[in-house]
Amino acid sequence: MSHGGSDSAADLQRRAVRGALWTFIHLGVSLPLGFVVNLVVARHLGVVDFGRLATLTLAVDITVAIAGVGMGSALVQFGAKAHSAGRRTEVHQLLRAAQGYQLLVQVPLVTASVLVLSSTLGLPVSAMVWVWLFGVLLPALTAPAAACFGIENRGDLGAKLAMASSVVSGLASIAVVMAGGSAALLWGTRLCVAGLLPAVALWLIAKDYRRAICRPTPPRLPGRFWRFALPTGLASLAGMAVSSRIEVFALTWSALVEAAGLYALAFGLAAHAFAPAQALAGPLLAAIAALREVSAQAARPAFERALRASSAVAGLLVAGAIPALAALVPMLYGSAYAAAGPLLVVLGAAGGFGILNGPLGVFAQSRLAGRLVLRAAAAALVVDVGAALALVPHWAAWGAVAATTAGALVQFVVLSVSERADLGVGVWEFSRLIAPLLLALPVSGLATWLSAGVTSVVAGALCAGTSGLVIWVLLVRLSAVGLRPSDAAAIVASLPVPLRAVGHPLLRAITSAPGSQRA
Protein backbone atom coordinates (compact mmCIF):
# COMPACT_ATOMS: atom_id res chain seq x y z
CA MET A 1 0.00 0.00 0.00
CA SER A 2 1.53 3.26 -1.06
CA HIS A 3 0.85 6.41 0.90
CA GLY A 4 2.61 9.07 -1.03
CA GLY A 5 4.35 9.89 -4.27
CA SER A 6 3.73 7.92 -7.43
CA ASP A 7 4.10 4.24 -8.19
CA SER A 8 6.71 2.95 -10.64
CA ALA A 9 5.72 1.04 -13.76
CA ALA A 10 7.59 -2.06 -12.59
CA ASP A 11 5.82 -2.00 -9.23
CA LEU A 12 2.43 -1.63 -10.90
CA GLN A 13 3.09 -4.63 -13.16
CA ARG A 14 4.25 -6.77 -10.21
CA ARG A 15 1.07 -5.95 -8.31
CA ALA A 16 -1.05 -6.72 -11.37
CA VAL A 17 0.51 -10.16 -11.73
CA ARG A 18 0.08 -10.84 -8.00
CA GLY A 19 -3.56 -9.75 -8.14
CA ALA A 20 -4.23 -11.94 -11.19
CA LEU A 21 -2.68 -14.97 -9.55
CA TRP A 22 -4.65 -14.56 -6.33
CA THR A 23 -7.79 -14.14 -8.42
CA PHE A 24 -6.96 -17.44 -10.10
CA ILE A 25 -6.42 -19.11 -6.71
CA HIS A 26 -9.68 -17.63 -5.43
CA LEU A 27 -11.62 -19.05 -8.36
CA GLY A 28 -9.84 -22.39 -8.04
CA VAL A 29 -11.27 -22.62 -4.52
CA SER A 30 -14.67 -20.96 -4.92
CA LEU A 31 -15.84 -22.50 -8.20
CA PRO A 32 -15.69 -26.16 -7.08
CA LEU A 33 -17.10 -25.24 -3.68
CA GLY A 34 -19.91 -23.25 -5.29
CA PHE A 35 -20.77 -26.16 -7.57
CA VAL A 36 -21.10 -28.53 -4.60
CA VAL A 37 -23.04 -26.02 -2.49
CA ASN A 38 -25.53 -25.25 -5.26
CA LEU A 39 -26.04 -28.96 -5.87
CA VAL A 40 -26.78 -29.57 -2.17
CA VAL A 41 -28.99 -26.50 -1.83
CA ALA A 42 -30.97 -27.26 -5.00
CA ARG A 43 -31.72 -30.80 -3.80
CA HIS A 44 -32.73 -29.50 -0.36
CA LEU A 45 -35.02 -26.66 -1.49
CA GLY A 46 -36.61 -28.30 -4.49
CA VAL A 47 -37.20 -26.79 -7.88
CA VAL A 48 -39.82 -24.19 -6.93
CA ASP A 49 -38.09 -22.56 -3.94
CA PHE A 50 -34.66 -22.74 -5.54
CA GLY A 51 -35.98 -21.12 -8.69
CA ARG A 52 -37.67 -18.30 -6.77
CA LEU A 53 -34.50 -17.51 -4.84
CA ALA A 54 -32.38 -17.62 -8.00
CA THR A 55 -34.83 -15.30 -9.78
CA LEU A 56 -34.75 -12.73 -7.00
CA THR A 57 -30.95 -12.85 -6.78
CA LEU A 58 -30.64 -12.33 -10.55
CA ALA A 59 -33.16 -9.48 -10.48
CA VAL A 60 -31.24 -7.69 -7.72
CA ASP A 61 -27.98 -8.11 -9.65
CA ILE A 62 -29.52 -6.63 -12.81
CA THR A 63 -31.07 -3.74 -10.88
CA VAL A 64 -27.75 -2.94 -9.20
CA ALA A 65 -26.03 -2.94 -12.60
CA ILE A 66 -28.66 -0.57 -14.05
CA ALA A 67 -28.57 1.77 -11.04
CA GLY A 68 -24.77 1.75 -10.97
CA VAL A 69 -24.48 2.97 -14.61
CA GLY A 70 -20.75 2.15 -14.73
CA MET A 71 -19.98 4.00 -11.48
CA GLY A 72 -17.73 1.22 -10.17
CA SER A 73 -15.60 0.92 -13.31
CA ALA A 74 -15.24 4.69 -13.63
CA LEU A 75 -14.31 5.05 -9.95
CA VAL A 76 -11.54 2.48 -10.33
CA GLN A 77 -10.26 4.00 -13.59
CA PHE A 78 -10.11 7.63 -12.40
CA GLY A 79 -9.15 6.72 -8.85
CA ALA A 80 -6.29 4.43 -9.91
CA LYS A 81 -4.85 7.08 -12.22
CA ALA A 82 -4.95 9.71 -9.47
CA HIS A 83 -3.60 7.37 -6.78
CA SER A 84 -0.67 6.17 -8.91
CA ALA A 85 0.32 9.79 -9.61
CA GLY A 86 0.11 10.74 -5.91
CA ARG A 87 -3.03 12.92 -6.23
CA ARG A 88 -4.69 11.60 -3.08
CA THR A 89 -6.95 14.64 -2.60
CA GLU A 90 -8.52 13.89 -5.96
CA VAL A 91 -9.14 10.31 -4.85
CA HIS A 92 -10.78 11.59 -1.65
CA GLN A 93 -13.18 13.70 -3.70
CA LEU A 94 -14.05 10.79 -5.98
CA LEU A 95 -14.72 8.44 -3.06
CA ARG A 96 -16.91 10.93 -1.22
CA ALA A 97 -18.96 11.69 -4.33
CA ALA A 98 -19.27 7.99 -5.18
CA GLN A 99 -20.53 7.23 -1.69
CA GLY A 100 -23.04 10.05 -2.05
CA TYR A 101 -24.27 8.52 -5.31
CA GLN A 102 -24.68 5.15 -3.61
CA LEU A 103 -26.84 6.65 -0.84
CA LEU A 104 -28.86 9.18 -2.84
CA VAL A 105 -29.41 7.28 -6.10
CA GLN A 106 -28.52 3.60 -6.05
CA VAL A 107 -29.99 2.62 -2.68
CA PRO A 108 -33.47 4.13 -3.40
CA LEU A 109 -33.62 2.63 -6.91
CA VAL A 110 -32.57 -0.84 -5.81
CA THR A 111 -34.83 -0.65 -2.75
CA ALA A 112 -37.88 0.11 -4.90
CA SER A 113 -37.10 -2.74 -7.27
CA VAL A 114 -36.52 -5.24 -4.46
CA LEU A 115 -39.74 -4.26 -2.68
CA VAL A 116 -41.81 -4.71 -5.85
CA LEU A 117 -40.24 -8.06 -6.67
CA SER A 118 -40.46 -9.30 -3.07
CA SER A 119 -44.16 -8.46 -2.96
CA THR A 120 -44.71 -10.25 -6.27
CA LEU A 121 -43.04 -13.38 -4.92
CA GLY A 122 -45.08 -13.20 -1.72
CA LEU A 123 -42.15 -12.92 0.68
CA PRO A 124 -42.95 -12.09 4.32
CA VAL A 125 -42.14 -8.64 5.67
CA SER A 126 -39.28 -9.98 7.81
CA ALA A 127 -37.61 -11.44 4.73
CA MET A 128 -38.07 -8.18 2.82
CA VAL A 129 -36.37 -6.25 5.64
CA TRP A 130 -33.53 -8.79 5.63
CA VAL A 131 -33.11 -8.41 1.88
CA TRP A 132 -33.00 -4.62 2.12
CA LEU A 133 -30.52 -4.50 5.00
CA PHE A 134 -28.02 -7.09 3.81
CA GLY A 135 -28.75 -7.18 0.07
CA VAL A 136 -29.08 -3.46 -0.62
CA LEU A 137 -27.86 -1.14 2.15
CA LEU A 138 -24.66 -2.81 3.38
CA PRO A 139 -23.31 -3.64 -0.11
CA ALA A 140 -23.95 -0.02 -1.16
CA LEU A 141 -22.15 1.35 1.90
CA THR A 142 -19.07 -0.82 1.31
CA ALA A 143 -18.88 -0.59 -2.52
CA PRO A 144 -16.41 2.35 -2.60
CA ALA A 145 -14.21 0.54 -0.06
CA ALA A 146 -14.05 -2.52 -2.30
CA ALA A 147 -13.18 -0.23 -5.22
CA CYS A 148 -10.17 0.98 -3.23
CA PHE A 149 -8.51 -2.42 -3.76
CA GLY A 150 -8.43 -1.54 -7.44
CA ILE A 151 -7.55 2.11 -6.84
CA GLU A 152 -4.56 1.12 -4.68
CA ASN A 153 -3.73 -1.69 -7.13
CA ARG A 154 -4.15 -4.32 -4.42
CA GLY A 155 -6.10 -6.89 -6.36
CA ASP A 156 -4.55 -9.63 -4.26
CA LEU A 157 -6.33 -8.31 -1.14
CA GLY A 158 -9.61 -8.12 -3.01
CA ALA A 159 -9.22 -11.72 -4.24
CA LYS A 160 -8.36 -12.98 -0.74
CA LEU A 161 -11.41 -11.28 0.76
CA ALA A 162 -13.64 -12.62 -2.03
CA MET A 163 -12.26 -16.12 -1.44
CA ALA A 164 -12.96 -15.83 2.30
CA SER A 165 -16.49 -14.66 1.55
CA SER A 166 -17.09 -17.60 -0.82
CA VAL A 167 -15.82 -20.15 1.68
CA VAL A 168 -17.78 -18.72 4.64
CA SER A 169 -20.96 -18.39 2.58
CA GLY A 170 -20.64 -21.93 1.24
CA LEU A 171 -20.00 -23.49 4.64
CA ALA A 172 -22.82 -21.47 6.22
CA SER A 173 -25.21 -22.58 3.47
CA ILE A 174 -24.34 -26.24 3.99
CA ALA A 175 -24.76 -25.82 7.78
CA VAL A 176 -28.25 -24.34 7.30
CA VAL A 177 -29.21 -27.17 4.93
CA MET A 178 -27.94 -29.85 7.34
CA ALA A 179 -29.99 -28.22 10.12
CA GLY A 180 -33.10 -28.41 7.94
CA GLY A 181 -33.42 -24.65 7.57
CA SER A 182 -36.02 -23.04 5.39
CA ALA A 183 -35.45 -21.19 2.15
CA ALA A 184 -35.87 -17.86 3.93
CA LEU A 185 -33.26 -18.76 6.55
CA LEU A 186 -30.83 -19.99 3.90
CA TRP A 187 -31.26 -16.85 1.83
CA GLY A 188 -30.91 -14.65 4.90
CA THR A 189 -27.70 -16.42 5.89
CA ARG A 190 -26.20 -15.92 2.43
CA LEU A 191 -27.19 -12.27 2.36
CA CYS A 192 -25.75 -11.72 5.83
CA VAL A 193 -22.38 -13.11 4.80
CA ALA A 194 -22.44 -11.23 1.49
CA GLY A 195 -23.28 -7.95 3.22
CA LEU A 196 -21.00 -8.18 6.25
CA LEU A 197 -17.74 -9.58 4.90
CA PRO A 198 -17.14 -6.78 2.33
CA ALA A 199 -17.28 -4.33 5.24
CA VAL A 200 -13.87 -5.74 6.20
CA ALA A 201 -12.55 -3.85 3.19
CA LEU A 202 -12.99 -0.62 5.17
CA TRP A 203 -10.27 -1.75 7.57
CA LEU A 204 -7.86 -2.96 4.88
CA ILE A 205 -7.66 0.21 2.79
CA ALA A 206 -5.66 3.39 3.53
CA LYS A 207 -6.92 5.39 6.53
CA ASP A 208 -7.44 8.59 4.59
CA TYR A 209 -9.52 6.74 1.99
CA ARG A 210 -11.61 5.20 4.77
CA ARG A 211 -12.26 8.65 6.25
CA ALA A 212 -13.30 9.96 2.82
CA ILE A 213 -15.83 7.15 2.35
CA CYS A 214 -17.35 7.89 5.75
CA ARG A 215 -17.95 11.54 4.72
CA PRO A 216 -20.14 11.35 1.60
CA THR A 217 -20.97 14.41 -0.47
CA PRO A 218 -23.53 15.03 -3.25
CA PRO A 219 -22.41 13.15 -6.41
CA ARG A 220 -20.95 16.15 -8.24
CA LEU A 221 -18.51 14.40 -10.57
CA PRO A 222 -16.75 15.82 -13.65
CA GLY A 223 -18.35 15.45 -17.06
CA ARG A 224 -15.55 13.24 -18.35
CA PHE A 225 -16.27 10.85 -15.48
CA TRP A 226 -19.87 10.39 -16.64
CA ARG A 227 -18.85 10.31 -20.31
CA PHE A 228 -16.85 7.19 -19.44
CA ALA A 229 -19.20 5.71 -16.83
CA LEU A 230 -22.44 5.76 -18.85
CA PRO A 231 -21.26 3.90 -21.98
CA THR A 232 -19.23 1.50 -19.84
CA GLY A 233 -22.31 0.73 -17.75
CA LEU A 234 -24.41 0.17 -20.87
CA ALA A 235 -21.67 -2.09 -22.25
CA SER A 236 -21.77 -4.12 -19.04
CA LEU A 237 -25.54 -4.54 -19.39
CA ALA A 238 -25.13 -5.63 -23.01
CA GLY A 239 -22.49 -8.10 -21.87
CA MET A 240 -24.91 -9.54 -19.32
CA ALA A 241 -27.45 -9.95 -22.10
CA VAL A 242 -24.98 -11.84 -24.32
CA SER A 243 -25.38 -15.15 -22.52
CA SER A 244 -26.97 -18.54 -22.98
CA ARG A 245 -30.39 -17.04 -22.27
CA ILE A 246 -30.60 -15.57 -25.77
CA GLU A 247 -29.91 -18.86 -27.51
CA VAL A 248 -32.01 -20.88 -25.07
CA PHE A 249 -34.92 -18.47 -25.70
CA ALA A 250 -34.55 -18.93 -29.46
CA LEU A 251 -34.42 -22.72 -29.09
CA THR A 252 -37.45 -22.78 -26.80
CA TRP A 253 -39.36 -20.41 -29.09
CA SER A 254 -38.70 -22.86 -31.94
CA ALA A 255 -40.01 -25.74 -29.77
CA LEU A 256 -36.54 -27.37 -29.74
CA VAL A 257 -36.65 -28.32 -26.07
CA GLU A 258 -34.10 -31.13 -26.26
CA ALA A 259 -31.68 -28.95 -28.22
CA ALA A 260 -32.10 -26.21 -25.62
CA GLY A 261 -31.05 -28.63 -22.89
CA LEU A 262 -27.99 -29.81 -24.84
CA TYR A 263 -26.89 -26.26 -25.60
CA ALA A 264 -27.48 -25.05 -22.03
CA LEU A 265 -25.32 -27.87 -20.65
CA ALA A 266 -22.50 -27.28 -23.15
CA PHE A 267 -22.57 -23.51 -22.59
CA GLY A 268 -22.57 -23.95 -18.80
CA LEU A 269 -19.58 -26.30 -18.91
CA ALA A 270 -17.65 -23.94 -21.17
CA ALA A 271 -18.43 -20.97 -18.93
CA HIS A 272 -17.29 -22.95 -15.89
CA ALA A 273 -14.03 -23.99 -17.57
CA PHE A 274 -13.15 -20.49 -18.76
CA ALA A 275 -14.36 -18.53 -15.72
CA PRO A 276 -10.98 -18.45 -13.90
CA ALA A 277 -9.11 -17.19 -16.96
CA GLN A 278 -11.75 -14.58 -17.84
CA ALA A 279 -11.72 -13.25 -14.29
CA LEU A 280 -8.02 -12.45 -14.56
CA ALA A 281 -8.96 -9.26 -16.42
CA GLY A 282 -10.28 -7.79 -13.16
CA PRO A 283 -6.90 -7.18 -11.47
CA LEU A 284 -5.53 -5.78 -14.74
CA LEU A 285 -8.18 -3.06 -14.91
CA ALA A 286 -6.74 -0.77 -12.25
CA ALA A 287 -3.12 -1.70 -12.91
CA ILE A 288 -3.25 -0.74 -16.59
CA ALA A 289 -5.11 2.49 -15.83
CA ALA A 290 -2.38 3.44 -13.35
CA LEU A 291 0.37 2.32 -15.73
CA ARG A 292 -0.83 4.65 -18.47
CA GLU A 293 -0.81 7.51 -15.97
CA VAL A 294 2.77 7.03 -14.70
CA SER A 295 4.45 5.58 -17.79
CA ALA A 296 2.61 5.86 -21.10
CA GLN A 297 5.51 4.26 -22.99
CA ALA A 298 5.08 1.09 -20.93
CA ALA A 299 1.55 0.54 -22.26
CA ARG A 300 2.60 -1.37 -25.39
CA PRO A 301 4.95 -3.83 -23.61
CA ALA A 302 2.22 -4.42 -21.01
CA PHE A 303 -0.33 -4.97 -23.78
CA GLU A 304 1.89 -7.53 -25.48
CA ARG A 305 2.62 -9.38 -22.23
CA ALA A 306 -1.08 -9.45 -21.29
CA LEU A 307 -2.05 -10.90 -24.68
CA ARG A 308 0.76 -13.47 -24.64
CA ALA A 309 -0.28 -14.68 -21.20
CA SER A 310 -4.02 -14.65 -21.99
CA SER A 311 -3.50 -16.46 -25.28
CA ALA A 312 -1.32 -19.09 -23.58
CA VAL A 313 -4.00 -19.74 -20.94
CA ALA A 314 -6.74 -19.82 -23.59
CA GLY A 315 -4.73 -22.20 -25.77
CA LEU A 316 -4.06 -24.51 -22.83
CA LEU A 317 -7.78 -24.75 -22.06
CA VAL A 318 -8.97 -25.06 -25.66
CA ALA A 319 -6.40 -27.68 -26.67
CA GLY A 320 -6.37 -29.84 -23.54
CA ALA A 321 -9.14 -29.18 -21.02
CA ILE A 322 -12.12 -28.74 -23.37
CA PRO A 323 -11.61 -31.99 -25.41
CA ALA A 324 -11.13 -33.97 -22.19
CA LEU A 325 -14.25 -32.45 -20.60
CA ALA A 326 -16.27 -33.06 -23.76
CA ALA A 327 -15.31 -36.74 -23.70
CA LEU A 328 -16.50 -37.03 -20.08
CA VAL A 329 -19.97 -35.58 -20.72
CA PRO A 330 -21.76 -38.95 -21.24
CA MET A 331 -20.31 -40.37 -18.03
CA LEU A 332 -21.01 -37.28 -15.92
CA TYR A 333 -24.50 -36.43 -17.20
CA GLY A 334 -25.75 -39.60 -18.88
CA SER A 335 -25.92 -40.87 -22.44
CA ALA A 336 -28.85 -38.56 -23.21
CA TYR A 337 -26.41 -35.63 -23.09
CA ALA A 338 -23.72 -37.24 -25.28
CA ALA A 339 -24.49 -34.86 -28.16
CA ALA A 340 -23.44 -31.93 -25.96
CA GLY A 341 -19.78 -33.00 -26.19
CA PRO A 342 -19.17 -31.81 -29.78
CA LEU A 343 -21.09 -28.59 -29.01
CA LEU A 344 -18.72 -27.97 -26.10
CA VAL A 345 -15.65 -28.38 -28.32
CA VAL A 346 -16.85 -25.64 -30.69
CA LEU A 347 -17.97 -23.40 -27.84
CA GLY A 348 -14.39 -23.71 -26.60
CA ALA A 349 -13.33 -21.51 -29.51
CA ALA A 350 -15.79 -18.82 -28.44
CA GLY A 351 -14.52 -19.13 -24.87
CA GLY A 352 -10.93 -18.73 -26.03
CA PHE A 353 -11.67 -15.47 -27.82
CA GLY A 354 -13.71 -14.42 -24.80
CA ILE A 355 -10.53 -14.68 -22.73
CA LEU A 356 -8.70 -12.38 -25.16
CA ASN A 357 -11.58 -9.91 -25.04
CA GLY A 358 -10.77 -9.41 -21.35
CA PRO A 359 -7.36 -7.69 -21.70
CA LEU A 360 -8.46 -5.95 -24.91
CA GLY A 361 -11.37 -4.39 -23.03
CA VAL A 362 -9.09 -3.48 -20.12
CA PHE A 363 -6.72 -1.52 -22.37
CA ALA A 364 -9.65 0.21 -24.09
CA GLN A 365 -11.01 1.30 -20.71
CA SER A 366 -7.57 2.42 -19.52
CA ARG A 367 -7.61 5.15 -22.18
CA LEU A 368 -11.20 5.96 -21.20
CA ALA A 369 -12.60 4.69 -24.51
CA GLY A 370 -15.98 3.90 -23.00
CA ARG A 371 -17.83 4.35 -26.28
CA LEU A 372 -15.57 1.80 -27.97
CA VAL A 373 -16.34 -0.75 -25.26
CA LEU A 374 -20.05 -0.03 -25.72
CA ARG A 375 -19.80 -0.37 -29.52
CA ALA A 376 -18.05 -3.72 -29.19
CA ALA A 377 -20.61 -5.07 -26.70
CA ALA A 378 -23.57 -3.73 -28.68
CA ALA A 379 -22.25 -5.18 -31.95
CA ALA A 380 -21.73 -8.56 -30.28
CA LEU A 381 -25.27 -8.46 -28.88
CA VAL A 382 -26.85 -7.57 -32.24
CA VAL A 383 -24.92 -10.28 -34.09
CA ASP A 384 -25.63 -12.86 -31.38
CA VAL A 385 -29.38 -12.19 -31.36
CA GLY A 386 -29.64 -11.95 -35.15
CA ALA A 387 -27.67 -15.13 -35.77
CA ALA A 388 -29.65 -17.02 -33.12
CA LEU A 389 -32.99 -16.03 -34.62
CA ALA A 390 -31.81 -16.85 -38.16
CA LEU A 391 -29.92 -20.11 -37.55
CA VAL A 392 -31.62 -21.84 -34.63
CA PRO A 393 -34.80 -22.80 -36.56
CA HIS A 394 -32.64 -24.61 -39.15
CA TRP A 395 -29.62 -25.88 -37.20
CA ALA A 396 -31.10 -26.23 -33.70
CA ALA A 397 -28.34 -26.44 -31.07
CA TRP A 398 -25.62 -25.93 -33.68
CA GLY A 399 -27.30 -22.70 -34.70
CA ALA A 400 -27.10 -21.53 -31.10
CA VAL A 401 -23.41 -22.43 -30.97
CA ALA A 402 -22.79 -20.51 -34.20
CA ALA A 403 -24.55 -17.45 -32.77
CA THR A 404 -22.50 -17.53 -29.58
CA THR A 405 -19.25 -17.90 -31.49
CA ALA A 406 -20.15 -15.10 -33.90
CA GLY A 407 -20.87 -12.71 -31.03
CA ALA A 408 -17.52 -13.42 -29.35
CA LEU A 409 -15.63 -12.98 -32.63
CA VAL A 410 -17.33 -9.67 -33.46
CA GLN A 411 -16.42 -8.25 -30.05
CA PHE A 412 -12.84 -9.47 -30.51
CA VAL A 413 -12.50 -7.87 -33.96
CA VAL A 414 -13.90 -4.48 -32.88
CA LEU A 415 -11.66 -4.26 -29.81
CA SER A 416 -8.49 -5.66 -31.40
CA VAL A 417 -8.60 -3.37 -34.46
CA SER A 418 -8.89 -0.28 -32.26
CA GLU A 419 -6.24 -1.30 -29.71
CA ARG A 420 -3.75 -2.34 -32.40
CA ALA A 421 -4.13 1.04 -34.06
CA ASP A 422 -3.80 2.93 -30.78
CA LEU A 423 -0.61 1.12 -29.71
CA GLY A 424 0.92 0.72 -33.18
CA VAL A 425 0.94 -3.08 -33.18
CA GLY A 426 1.08 -4.54 -36.69
CA VAL A 427 -1.10 -7.38 -37.96
CA TRP A 428 1.79 -9.89 -38.03
CA GLU A 429 2.95 -8.91 -34.54
CA PHE A 430 -0.60 -9.20 -33.23
CA SER A 431 -1.03 -12.60 -34.87
CA ARG A 432 2.06 -13.88 -33.07
CA LEU A 433 0.74 -12.57 -29.75
CA ILE A 434 -2.48 -14.58 -30.09
CA ALA A 435 -0.86 -17.52 -31.92
CA PRO A 436 -1.14 -19.94 -28.93
CA LEU A 437 -4.94 -19.71 -29.15
CA LEU A 438 -5.00 -19.87 -32.96
CA LEU A 439 -2.86 -23.04 -32.85
CA ALA A 440 -5.17 -24.57 -30.24
CA LEU A 441 -8.29 -24.33 -32.41
CA PRO A 442 -7.41 -27.12 -34.91
CA VAL A 443 -5.63 -29.09 -32.18
CA SER A 444 -8.86 -29.24 -30.18
CA GLY A 445 -10.71 -30.81 -33.11
CA LEU A 446 -7.84 -33.22 -33.79
CA ALA A 447 -7.70 -34.35 -30.15
CA THR A 448 -11.44 -34.94 -30.15
CA TRP A 449 -11.18 -37.01 -33.33
CA LEU A 450 -8.29 -39.08 -31.96
CA SER A 451 -10.29 -40.01 -28.87
CA ALA A 452 -13.49 -40.84 -30.76
CA GLY A 453 -12.48 -44.47 -31.33
CA VAL A 454 -11.63 -45.18 -27.68
CA THR A 455 -14.38 -47.30 -26.13
CA SER A 456 -13.74 -46.36 -22.49
CA VAL A 457 -15.02 -42.89 -21.55
CA VAL A 458 -12.23 -42.28 -19.04
CA ALA A 459 -9.55 -43.52 -21.43
CA GLY A 460 -11.04 -41.37 -24.17
CA ALA A 461 -10.90 -38.30 -21.96
CA LEU A 462 -7.27 -39.01 -21.06
CA CYS A 463 -6.45 -39.51 -24.73
CA ALA A 464 -8.18 -36.29 -25.78
CA GLY A 465 -6.63 -34.16 -23.05
CA THR A 466 -3.13 -35.60 -23.27
CA SER A 467 -2.88 -35.67 -27.08
CA GLY A 468 -4.28 -32.17 -27.37
CA LEU A 469 -1.94 -30.78 -24.75
CA VAL A 470 1.19 -32.50 -26.13
CA ILE A 471 0.50 -31.50 -29.75
CA TRP A 472 -0.27 -27.91 -28.74
CA VAL A 473 2.89 -27.54 -26.64
CA LEU A 474 5.01 -28.88 -29.49
CA LEU A 475 3.44 -26.46 -31.97
CA VAL A 476 3.89 -23.52 -29.59
CA ARG A 477 7.57 -24.31 -29.03
CA LEU A 478 8.29 -25.02 -32.70
CA SER A 479 6.59 -21.77 -33.71
CA ALA A 480 8.51 -19.82 -31.01
CA VAL A 481 5.37 -18.11 -29.75
CA GLY A 482 3.92 -18.48 -26.25
CA LEU A 483 5.47 -16.81 -23.23
CA ARG A 484 8.86 -15.11 -23.08
CA PRO A 485 11.33 -15.94 -20.29
CA SER A 486 10.63 -12.56 -18.67
CA ASP A 487 6.89 -13.33 -18.65
CA ALA A 488 7.43 -16.67 -16.97
CA ALA A 489 9.86 -15.18 -14.45
CA ALA A 490 7.36 -12.46 -13.48
CA ILE A 491 4.59 -15.01 -12.99
CA VAL A 492 6.74 -17.40 -10.95
CA ALA A 493 8.03 -14.58 -8.73
CA SER A 494 4.44 -13.63 -7.86
CA LEU A 495 3.35 -17.18 -7.02
CA PRO A 496 3.02 -18.21 -3.36
CA VAL A 497 6.26 -19.98 -2.38
CA PRO A 498 4.71 -23.49 -2.14
CA LEU A 499 3.45 -23.23 -5.73
CA ARG A 500 6.68 -22.06 -7.34
CA ALA A 501 8.20 -25.53 -7.61
CA VAL A 502 5.14 -26.68 -9.57
CA GLY A 503 4.57 -23.49 -11.55
CA HIS A 504 8.10 -23.15 -12.92
CA PRO A 505 8.26 -26.41 -14.97
CA LEU A 506 4.69 -25.92 -16.24
CA LEU A 507 5.46 -22.42 -17.50
CA ARG A 508 8.78 -23.52 -18.96
CA ALA A 509 6.93 -25.92 -21.28
CA ILE A 510 5.25 -23.02 -23.09
CA THR A 511 8.12 -20.53 -22.85
CA SER A 512 10.24 -19.80 -25.93
CA ALA A 513 14.01 -19.76 -25.71
CA PRO A 514 15.66 -16.31 -25.37
CA GLY A 515 15.99 -14.62 -28.72
CA SER A 516 13.52 -16.93 -30.50
CA GLN A 517 10.75 -14.35 -30.47
CA ARG A 518 10.75 -11.06 -32.26
CA ALA A 519 11.26 -8.18 -29.85
Side-chain angles (χ1 to χ4, degrees):
M1 183 183 301
S2 61
H3 293 277
S6 59
D7 297 320
S8 68
D11 187 45
L12 289 171
Q13 294 190 58
R14 281 194 298 270
R15 293 185 193 177
V17 173
R18 189 182 304 117
L21 287 169
W22 272 105
T23 299
F24 193 83
I25 294 171
H26 152 52
L27 291 168
V29 172
S30 62
L31 284 177
L33 177 62
F35 177 82
V36 173
V37 170
N38 281 336
L39 179 62
V40 173
V41 169
R43 292 176 65 88
H44 171 72
L45 293 181
V47 176
V48 176
D49 283 343
F50 187 76
R52 291 171 66 195
L53 296 179
T55 300
L56 183 56
T57 301
L58 177 62
V60 171
D61 290 342
I62 293 175
T63 304
V64 169
I66 294 174
V69 293
M71 169 66 72
S73 297
L75 180 59
V76 171
Q77 284 292 326
F78 285 83
K81 290 177 182 292
H83 173 84
S84 64
R87 303 192 302 270
R88 300 182 77 87
T89 301
E90 183 178 333
V91 180
H92 298 162
Q93 294 170 347
L94 288 171
L95 290 172
R96 296 177 69 185
Q99 186 70 305
Y101 180 87
Q102 295 284 338
L103 296 174
L104 296 176
V105 180
Q106 185 155 335
V107 169
L109 287 175
V110 179
T111 297
S113 175
V114 168
L115 288 176
V116 170
L117 189 56
S118 299
S119 300
T120 303
L121 294 177
L123 295 177
V125 175
S126 59
M128 292 168 64
V129 173
W130 198 272
V131 169
W132 179 79
L133 181 60
F134 293 105
V136 178
L137 184 60
L138 276 177
L141 292 175
T142 58
C148 284
F149 289 140
I151 290 172
E152 297 181 58
N153 202 9
R154 294 303 310 273
D156 56 329
L157 280 180
K160 291 174 185 177
L161 185 59
M163 181 167 62
S165 180
S166 298
V167 172
V168 173
S169 178
L171 296 178
S173 298
I174 291 177
V176 171
V177 168
M178 292 180 64
S182 64
L185 179 60
L186 176 62
W187 193 19
T189 302
R190 284 183 164 183
L191 286 172
C192 182
V193 173
L196 289 175
L197 276 185
V200 177
L202 282 170
W203 305 104
L204 297 177
I205 62 177
K207 292 181 180 179
D208 56 329
Y209 291 170
R210 181 164 61 246
R211 287 194 297 267
I213 292 172
C214 294
R215 299 172 182 173
T217 62
R220 299 189 186 95
L221 292 159
R224 61 194 185 100
F225 183 96
W226 292 114
R227 284 193 295 272
F228 173 77
L230 291 175
T232 303
L234 292 174
S236 177
L237 289 172
M240 292 176 68
V242 180
S243 66
S244 61
R245 294 178 183 85
I246 294 173
E247 287 79 9
V248 169
F249 172 78
L251 288 164
T252 304
W253 181 60
S254 300
L256 300 169
V257 181
E258 182 178 352
L262 293 173
Y263 172 81
L265 177 67
F267 186 94
L269 288 173
H272 199 78
F274 287 110
Q278 290 174 335
L280 295 181
L284 289 177
L285 193 64
I288 300 304
L291 186 65
R292 280 190 182 270
E293 187 73 11
V294 303
S295 179
Q297 64 271 22
R300 174 167 171 168
F303 175 78
E304 294 175 347
R305 172 172 288 182
L307 274 189
R308 281 195 299 268
S310 298
S311 182
V313 172
L316 180 70
L317 292 171
V318 171
I322 292 298
L325 186 58
L328 288 172
V329 165
M331 184 181 75
L332 294 175
Y333 296 93
S335 58
Y337 286 97
L343 301 177
L344 175 58
V345 173
V346 180
L347 283 173
F353 283 100
I355 290 177
L356 296 188
N357 287 337
L360 288 171
V362 165
F363 276 85
Q365 291 188 51
S366 71
R367 57 189 179 92
L368 305 181
R371 292 182 181 179
L372 168 65
V373 177
L374 176 58
R375 279 201 308 273
L381 177 60
V382 169
V383 170
D384 194 353
V385 172
L389 295 177
L391 300 178
V392 160
H394 304 288
W395 295 353
W398 282 107
V401 169
T404 302
T405 306
L409 287 174
V410 166
Q411 188 174 22
F412 170 77
V413 170
V414 174
L415 290 174
S416 61
V417 168
S418 178
E419 294 313 295
R420 283 198 308 101
D422 179 71
L423 295 170
V425 179
V427 175
W428 173 248
E429 296 169 288
F430 185 78
S431 299
R432 288 185 62 83
L433 292 175
I434 65 171
L437 172 59
L438 299 180
L439 292 172
L441 299 179
V443 169
S444 179
L446 176 61
T448 302
W449 177 77
L450 290 174
S451 65
V454 181
T455 55
S456 168
V457 173
V458 175
L462 289 174
C463 173
T466 303
S467 62
L469 191 59
V470 170
I471 295 171
W472 177 72
V473 169
L474 289 175
L475 289 176
V476 168
R477 293 187 66 83
L478 290 173
S479 303
V481 288
L483 299 176
R484 290 182 176 177
S486 58
D487 301 333
I491 295 173
V492 170
S494 299
L495 283 171
V497 175
L499 297 180
R500 292 181 184 178
V502 178
H504 185 265
L506 291 177
L507 290 171
R508 186 171 55 189
I510 54 174
T511 301
S512 302
S516 62
Q517 289 190 336
R518 182 177 297 181

